[in-house]
Amino acid sequence: SRQSHFSALIKSQAFTDRVNMVVQALRVLLADPNVTTSRRLCTYLQDSGFDVHVVHDGVLMPQHIFEFRPNFIIMDLTL
């Protein structure tokens, strides 16, 4: 059945390797003035395979965006 084929696919090593390759290619800019919070989230994201760059000062964000070219930005709304 189609469902069993999909289930077998996502359990395969090739699928896992491909997902890991895609995740490792993703760059995340983490912007948060709270050093403790950003350090914890950064560690979690890095352990999950993301390339993470942290900035604690919103004034510096445009420069970091330009240089790092993130795929995603996670930021504290107070920045």
Side-chain angles (χ1 to χ4, degrees):
S1 78
R2 195 171 205 180
Q3 186 175 5
S4 64
H5 176 70
F6 180 73
S7 182
L9 173 67
I10 64 172
K11 292 178 183 175
S12 72
Q13 187 61 44
F15 180 80
T16 302
D17 292 345
R18 180 73 175 148
V19 169
N20 288 338
M21 186 174 66
V22 169
V23 167
Q24 288 174 354
L26 294 177
R27 293 176 310 280
V28 178
L29 177 62
L30 176 57
D32 193 324
N34 185 311
V35 175
T36 303
T37 301
S38 60
R39 189 173 290 149
R40 287 181 183 160
L41 184 53
C42 179
T43 299
Y44 175 77
L45 291 169
Q46 287 175 332
D47 289 348
S48 298
F50 292 94
D51 182 9
V52 183
H53 189 84
V54 180
V55 61
H56 298 290
D57 185 348
V59 174
L60 300 175
M61 277 189 59
Q63 176 185 348
H64 288 275
I65 291 169
F66 179 75
E67 292 174 1
F68 185 57
R69 300 269 191 217
N71 298 100
F72 299 99
I73 298 173
I74 301 173
M75 64 183 278
D76 182 277
L77 293 178
T78 61
L79 282 178

